[in-house]
Structure formats: structure tokens, C-alpha cells
């Protein structure tokens, strides 16, 4: 019997009001049914927002360090349940166990950071221009936060949004991706066990159109935080723009790794493999372009091919597996379609390019790690986000050309440069158009306490992670206190 899951709305576990459900299956083994989940709609969202609004009245008045204590407890519970969460996460979305352990650890780091941040919330006091008058600022919660999350980091990304939102004093309505509802449920259980007031966290399962859209359009939601594709992000931003609603967007990437002739090639290969094929290439920070200087190009490609061929595909909970399945059949078709486009465009496919179906792999959505060479920057496979185990190699003559190819994309999330020349490293840090630049490290692996986000079509200027996430979920308020006992007119009486 498949486990039956529920929403959590208004302080209780419940089915979708209309009673509809959907199934979720293990992407490495379609026969493995993870559970039956409520397929919610606008009615459920309305109930959830109403409950959150109610909870906000009291939660906003709880001292921030007390909210931080709850975050600390949540972090401790995540430590206790880490392995169990990771096993189930691998079963639910496919990436290998070491990576789901890392995903959970990112949530733990975010929880402990939230505890610390709850005692800071720095807000400057500055001198007033008038005598006997004080000028200061404070940070206030916004109200109800709508949190819409992707499936590739089913624990880390929700924590990046929910923990700062709650720590700031907001109440939350959370929609996990419909490919990872069990991990979303595990997180909400931890929040409740940690002591978050039940109505302050609401969980609504379902799709983007039936749950995400009503949440975005709800007049009583004050801030939306979304991670997903740039296409969907643009639509959400349009809807929020009409309502003047704050929105934080974390969208696509087409991240490049530059490899210069002076680089340590072994190190650059380690980075490329991890960046391109870790999480089966399904990270918004994944390395999807390798921009290689011509003198080392052929050697680099030979080394990359040799190492790629050795990668072992399989169920991520089994020992020795390097690469798991992709998330679902729809994504696998999209990836394969891009591979066919690449071949038509004249790129040379060195390996992969096919569904992997040997033995047990036939039960899941496996795709062979794929490398293209002879790629030019204007090709579709060098421009569009593929979100799968496909990497393209672009040959360049010089460092300047490498930077201009790296910047020749609509996106600007992560980037990396392998070089041992300190001058090149600093020029890259200055001239690359991206939110994150790594020197001698892969494009993936951002740490929870630093700003995370990108420029151009990757987002709308906000940064998750670290202290910057707290900007998203709070409003500045300016306070003036005049203790002179008389009317003092700014800009007039002091001139
Ligand atoms: C994402 O792919 O959406 O930097 C997030 C990294 C991870 C987070 C990725 N810490 O790759």
C-alpha cells in the first residue's frame, strides 16, 4: 500500500478540499511508488493564506532571538534525521546519496545561520540633522510569504527561503515541487517538531498552475520567493508587478568554466566532471559550457572523455554510483531533443546522446553523460539551459576571447576560471558577468552563508543565502524621535 500524504493547512493535516490526488514515483525505478499526494487548487491556497495571515499577528511579536532558538532546534532535528532524509530524497528525486546528504547539510547550515542572524538584524542608527532628535531604522516582517520551490534541491532551497522568512517574523505558505512532495513534507514535520506555531507554516501540494498561480495572485500574500526556470519566473514577475508585490527570483543558468593554458589540467577535469555531471547536471549552477584555450584543448578533451566514460550510472542509494537518473520522462525528452539539435547544428558528439537502458537502468529515466566539442557560442546548445548531463566544449584562442564567450549568454549565475596566473584571476573576477565566480573551483558548491544569485536573466536582483536573504523577507522602517519639545522643521530650521 502506498503511503498517503496530506497538506498541512491551518494547523492540521488534511486532504485537498476537492479530494483529488497525484502519484509520485522513484525516477530510478518507476515501479517504486513513493506516495499519493493531495492535488490541491485555489480553495486550498485560500485556506492556507488565511491561516498564515492569522498566525502572523502573533508570530511577528515573538522576539527574533526566540524565533532563532526554534531555528536552532530545527537544525538539531535535521542533524538527527539527516541520513533518513537523504535516503528518501535520493529515492524521490534521484541524485546520489552523498549529494542528498550535502543537500540536507545545506539546510542544517541555513538553520544555524538563521539562529545567529536572529540576534543581529543590523539596522543602522544615524545622526539626525536636528538637535535633540534621534534617527534610526528597524527591520519589520512583511506578512505572508509564498514560497515556490524546485525539485533539484528539495531540502536546501526550501530552507533558504522558509528559514529567513520565518526568522524575520513572516508566516509561510510553502508549495514544494510536485516531483518532491515527500521531502517537502519531511521539512514541514521538522518545522512543527522544532516549535514553529502550526498556523505559521502551511504546506500545499500540487502543480504550478493549480497551486503556484493562485498563491502568486493572492492579494493577501506580501512576498513571493521562487526558484525555477526563467520562462516561469518572468510570468510570475509580471503577475507580481501588476499587484506591486515583492518577488525574489532565482532562475536559470548557462554556467561556463574557463580552462586556460596555464591551468592545472587534472584539477580542471575534476571540477568539470563534478560541475557538469554532479546532480546529473540538474543544478542551476551546473557547468554546461567548458571554454578551453586552444593549446590545451585536445589534451583536456581526451582526459575529460576518458573520465566521463568511467562514470557509473544507477540508483543513487546504491554504493559506487556516480550519476543518478534525470527527474522524469518529460525532462529526459527535453534533454534528448537538445542533443539532437546539437548534432544538427554541426557539433561533434563524443559520447552519450542516448537513454541508458542496460539492465536495471531500463526501469528509470537514465541518460548517458554527453559531451559535445566543435561547439561555437551562437549554437543553441551553447545558449539554452539544458538541465541535464550534457556539456559543451568551446575552443578559444585567448583569455580575452574566453571571457567574452563566457559572457555571451542571457544568463549570469555561476562561473569558474582555472588559471595559475593571478592577473588573469583578478581580471576574471572583475569582468565576468555573473553573481558567482570561482577561481580554481567548479561552478557548483555555493555555501549557505554567502549571497547566492545571478545577473541578467538569472534573476531580478535579489540574493538568497547569508544575510542578503533577510533583505527579501523584511521591510525597512525609519523612525524619528524628537525630544526637543518643540516643532523642528527639517531642511528649514537648521539652515
Ligand atoms: C541550484 O542548483 O538551484 O552551489 C542550487 C550549488 C548548490 C546550490 C545549487 N549549493 O551548486
Amino acid at each position: 500500500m502506498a503511503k498517503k500524504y496530506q497538506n498541512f493547512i491551518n494547523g492540521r493535516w488534511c486532504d485537498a478540499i476537492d479530494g483529488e490526488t497525484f502519484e509520485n514515483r522513484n525516477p530510478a525505478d518507476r515501479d517504486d511508488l513513493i506516495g499519493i499526494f493531495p492535488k490541491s487548487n485555489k480553495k486550498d491556497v485560500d485556506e492556507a493564506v488565511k491561516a498564515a495571515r492569522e498566525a502572523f499577528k502573533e508570530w511577528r511579536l515573538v522576539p527574533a532571538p526566540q524565533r532563532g532558538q526554534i531555528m536552532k532546534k530545527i537544525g538539531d532535528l535535521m542533524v538527527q534525521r539527516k541520513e533518513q532524509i537523504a535516503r528518501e530524497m535520493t529515492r524521490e528525486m534521484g541524485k546520489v546519496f552523498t549529494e542528498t546528504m550535502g543537500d540536507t547539510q545545506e539546510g542544517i547550515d541555513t538553520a544555524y545561520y538563521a539562529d545567529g542572524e536572529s540576534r543581529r538584524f543590523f539596522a543602522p542608527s544615524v545622526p539626525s540633522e536636528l538637535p535633540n532628535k534621534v534617527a534610526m531604522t528597524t527591520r519589520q516582517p512583511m506578512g505572508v510569504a509564498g514560497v515556490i520551490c524546485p525539485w533539484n534541491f528539495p531540502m536546501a532551497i526550501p530552507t533558504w527561503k522558509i528559514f529567513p522568512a520565518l526568522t524575520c517574523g513572516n508566516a509561510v505558505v510553502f508549495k514544494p515541487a510536485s516531483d518532491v512532495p515527500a521531502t517537502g513534507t519531511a521539512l514541514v514535520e521538522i518545522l512543527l517538531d522544532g516549535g514553529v506555531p502550526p498556523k505559521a507554516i502551511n504546506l500545499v501540494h500540487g502543480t504550478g498552475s493549480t497551486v503556484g498561480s493562485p498563491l502568486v495572485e493572492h492579494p493577501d500574500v506580501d512576498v513571493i520567493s521562487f526558484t525555477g526556470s526563467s520562462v516561469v519566473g518572468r510570468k510570475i514577475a509580471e503577475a507580481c508587478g501588476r499587484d506591486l508585490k515583492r518577488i525574489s527570483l532565482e532562475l536559470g543558468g548557462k554556467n561556463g568554466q574557463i580552462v586556460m593554458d596555464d591551468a592545472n589540467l587534472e584539477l580542471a577535469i575534476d571540477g568539470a566532471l563534478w560541475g557538469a555531471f554532479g546532480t546529473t547536471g540538474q543544478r542551476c549552477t551546473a557547468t554546461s559550457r567548458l571554454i578551453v584555450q586552444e593549446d590545451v584543448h585536445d589534451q583536456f578533451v581526451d582526459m575529460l572523455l576518458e573520465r566521463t566514460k568511467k562514470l557509473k550510472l544507477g540508483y543513487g542509494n546504491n554504493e559506487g554510483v556516480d550519476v543518478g537518473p534525470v527527474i522524469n520522462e518529460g525532462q529526459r525528452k527535453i534533454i534528448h531533443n537538445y542533443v539532437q539539435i546539437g548534432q544538427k547544428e554541426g557539433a561533434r558528439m563524443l559520447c552519450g546522446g542516448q537513454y541508458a537502458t542496460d539492465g536495471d537502468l531500463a526501469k528509470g529515466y537514465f541518460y548517458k553523460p554527453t559531451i559535445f566539442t566543435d561547439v561555437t557560442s551562437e549554437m543553441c546548445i551553447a545558449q539554452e539551459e539544458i538541465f541535464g548531463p550534457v556539456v559543451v566544449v568551446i575552443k578559444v584562442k585567448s583569455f580575452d576571447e574566453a571571457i567574452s564567450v563566457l559572457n555571451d549568454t542571457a544568463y549570469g549565475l555561476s562561473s569558474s576560471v582555472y588559471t595559475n596566473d593571478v592577473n588573469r584571476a583578478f581580471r576574471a573576477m572583475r569582468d565576468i558577468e555573473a553573481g558567482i565566480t570561482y577561481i580554481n573551483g567548479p561552478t557548483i558548491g555555493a555555501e549557505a552563508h554567502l549571497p547566492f544569485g545571478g545577473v541578467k536573466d538569472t534573476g531580478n536582483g535579489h540574493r538568497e543565502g547569508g544575510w542578503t536573504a533577510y533583505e527579501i523577507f523584511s521591510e525597512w522602517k525609519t523612525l524619528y524621535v524628537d525630544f526637543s519639545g518643540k516643532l523642528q522643521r527639517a531642511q528649514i530650521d537648521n539652515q
Side-chain angles (χ1 to χ4, degrees), residues 263-457:
N264 175 339
L265 282 196
E266 287 287 346
L267 192 65
I269 292 287
D270 286 344
L273 279 171
W274 176 227
F277 302 128
T279 325
T280 322
Q282 304 170 111
R283 296 195 189 206
C284 56
T285 52
T287 308
S288 53
R289 298 178 298 150
L290 293 164
I291 302 163
V292 186
Q293 206 271 337
E294 59 185 4
D295 293 348
V296 290
H297 175 274
D298 294 356
Q299 192 190 348
F300 179 86
V301 167
D302 287 349
M303 289 162 79
L304 180 70
L305 180 61
E306 195 194 314
R307 292 275 300 274
T308 302
K309 281 184 176 160
K310 288 191 188 140
L311 293 173
K312 186 166 183 272
L313 271 61
Y315 180 33
N317 274 328
N318 293 342
E319 272 306 300
V321 169
D322 300 303
V323 181
V326 301
I327 188 71
N328 57 38
E329 187 56 21
Q331 276 300 123
R332 185 159 69 160
K333 282 194 179 133
I334 291 172
I335 294 163
H336 192 56
N337 188 37
Y338 274 116
V339 165
Q340 287 172 323
I341 291 172
Q343 285 172 299
K344 281 197 203 108
E345 288 180 304
R348 201 165 130 235
M349 197 168 75
L350 292 192
C351 62
Q354 287 172 340
Y355 291 13
T357 53
D358 294 347
D360 278 353
L361 299 183
K363 293 189 195 164
Y365 309 116
F366 289 91
Y367 200 87
K368 293 188 178 167
T370 306
I371 303 172
F372 279 104
T373 57
D374 296 5
V375 173
T376 53
S377 193
E378 64 280 356
M379 287 182 186
C380 171
I381 55 168
Q383 289 294 330
E384 293 190 19
E385 183 175 45
I386 299 175
F387 226 68
V390 179
V391 69
V392 307
V393 184
I394 305 174
K395 195 196 285 186
V396 292
K397 289 191 167 49
S398 64
F399 179 68
D400 286 341
E401 189 188 349
I403 297 281
S404 87
V405 165
L406 191 137
N407 286 341
D408 179 24
T409 155
Y411 299 106
L413 180 55
S414 188
S415 55
S416 141
V417 183
Y418 281 79
T419 180
N420 283 321
D421 178 335
V422 71
N423 298 336
R424 283 174 168 167
F426 274 88
R427 277 177 56 202
M429 287 188 266
R430 184 190 62 193
D431 295 339
I432 287 176
E433 297 164 1
I436 306 170
T437 296
Y438 293 89
I439 303 296
N440 293 328
T443 60
I444 68 177
E447 301 176 22
H449 59 296
L450 282 125
F452 180 92
V455 301
K456 303 200 275 191
D457 287 2

Side-chain angles (χ1 to χ4, degrees), residues 137-349:
T137 60
T138 179
R139 307 257 297 277
Q140 304 218 321
M142 301 189 57
V144 177
V147 167
I148 305 175
C149 294
W151 46 262
N152 66 336
F153 275 79
M155 187 56 76
I157 291 180
T159 68
W160 290 359
K161 302 175 189 303
I162 294 172
F163 294 178
L166 286 171
T167 306
C168 285
N170 303 284
V172 170
V173 179
F174 168 36
K175 186 197 106 55
S178 50
D179 282 304
V180 290
T183 309
T185 305
L187 174 59
V188 170
E189 284 167 358
I190 289 170
L191 287 165
L192 295 170
D193 292 348
V196 173
K199 291 183 188 182
I201 177 72
N202 294 268
L203 169 70
V204 189
H205 291 292
T207 63
S209 54
T210 59
V211 175
S213 296
L215 186 58
V216 165
E217 284 158 18
H218 200 294
D220 223 13
V221 172
D222 302 278
V223 50
I224 292 285
S225 177
F226 170 77
T227 297
S229 73
S230 295
V231 174
V232 175
R234 225 178 265 276
K235 285 191 192 139
I236 296 180
E238 280 167 14
C240 288
R242 280 194 294 276
D243 291 341
L244 301 177
K245 189 176 289 181
R246 183 181 298 177
I247 173 160
S248 157
L249 296 170
E250 183 52 53
L251 308 173
K254 189 71 187 174
N255 314 291
Q257 172 184 320
I258 293 175
V259 182
M260 289 310 298
D261 50 351
D262 60 75
N264 175 339
L265 282 196
E266 287 287 346
L267 192 65
I269 292 287
D270 286 344
L273 279 171
W274 176 227
F277 302 128
T279 325
T280 322
Q282 304 170 111
R283 296 195 189 206
C284 56
T285 52
T287 308
S288 53
R289 298 178 298 150
L290 293 164
I291 302 163
V292 186
Q293 206 271 337
E294 59 185 4
D295 293 348
V296 290
H297 175 274
D298 294 356
Q299 192 190 348
F300 179 86
V301 167
D302 287 349
M303 289 162 79
L304 180 70
L305 180 61
E306 195 194 314
R307 292 275 300 274
T308 302
K309 281 184 176 160
K310 288 191 188 140
L311 293 173
K312 186 166 183 272
L313 271 61
Y315 180 33
N317 274 328
N318 293 342
E319 272 306 300
V321 169
D322 300 303
V323 181
V326 301
I327 188 71
N328 57 38
E329 187 56 21
Q331 276 300 123
R332 185 159 69 160
K333 282 194 179 133
I334 291 172
I335 294 163
H336 192 56
N337 188 37
Y338 274 116
V339 165
Q340 287 172 323
I341 291 172
Q343 285 172 299
K344 281 197 203 108
E345 288 180 304
R348 201 165 130 235
M349 197 168 75

